[in-house]
Amino acid sequence: MTDVTADRRDADRVLAGDVNAFANLLRRYQAQVIGIVRRHVPPDRVEEIAQDVFVRAYRSLGNFREGDRFRQWLSAIAVRTCYDYWRRRYRRREVAVSQLSEAHRAWLERVGAADAEQAWQALGNRAEARQVLDWALAQLSAEDRMVIELVHLEEQSVQEAARLLGWSVANVKVRAFRARRKMHKMIKERLS
Amino acid sequence: MKSRGMLVHRLVQVLRHAHAARPLPPLDSRWPDAVMRRIRSLPEPAVAGGGWPFDLLVWRLAPATGALALLTLAVLLQFSLISDAELFRLWYNESQLLSVAGF
């Protein structure tokens, strides 16, 4: 039995009242959901947000239509749950913009000096890289953050980002352009 | 001397690596059980009907409803039951009556 058939069968069983059938969907897709969530929310919130994704999927299971792919349907729920997490945090003004330290400045200089792709990868794996990335993302709005992450950092197509976020393609295009310009300006100021 | 634009481009490449390499925090082995416990505490999910969900329908119809409301308002203003001239005459007569009565 393919995953698509098994997903439909399990979803139908849950809708018919067999809640335990949801455990099959959870088992099949927990790695995928956690893989998405870990890229968009802080590490200490991954478990909680991933749990919220499955709760939301369970609540909306009635909207999972014949012919939809559960994997794609669930990934849209995961991305929107992460987006909602940031919206809540921005609304409560919980996103603190930290200052870059000397270590970050030194790391930025090393990026400037590195020439090879391998060196970029090594620099990208360092903790400073994530801290500089988080510093830059913290200065964007929740919307710009999601668009930057999906379109520019994960290199997803504008159409796919629009599907995941539930926005129009035009909206994602405009936001992606503006957010990229904003981020480039920020980085340029830091490099100068 | 490298241009600043090139440095930004390189930095974006490095940040792309950093984003992809975000570490996966160690998951509690009881996490799936916790999710299922929460799921079991929820009411059964509602089966959607064949048509569009109501809230989606409301949002889809909102622009048309708004346009219709504006059009109706414009028509009502255009074909007011009482004309401006008549309204003025009524007001004028009333003020005449009040002045005669000594108010």
Side-chain angles (χ1 to χ4, degrees), chain A residues 47-64:
Chain A
E47 276 193 16
E48 175 200 337
I49 305 297
Q51 188 174 127
D52 288 347
V53 171
F54 280 105
V55 167
R56 237 164 123 164
Y58 174 77
R59 284 192 172 131
S60 329
L61 207 57
N63 299 326
F64 173 55

Side-chain angles (χ1 to χ4, degrees), chain A residues 25-39 53-54 70-76 78 163-164:
Chain A
L25 295 168
L26 175 64
R27 200 169 34 250
R28 260 198 301 280
Y29 292 104
Q30 72 176 61
Q32 183 208 336
V33 167
I34 288 167
I36 293 171
V37 171
R38 83 178 165 93
R39 290 197 302 265
V53 171
F54 280 105
F70 194 78
R71 179 178 290 279
Q72 288 167 350
W73 182 77
L74 190 63
S75 58
R163 186 191 72 79
L164 289 169

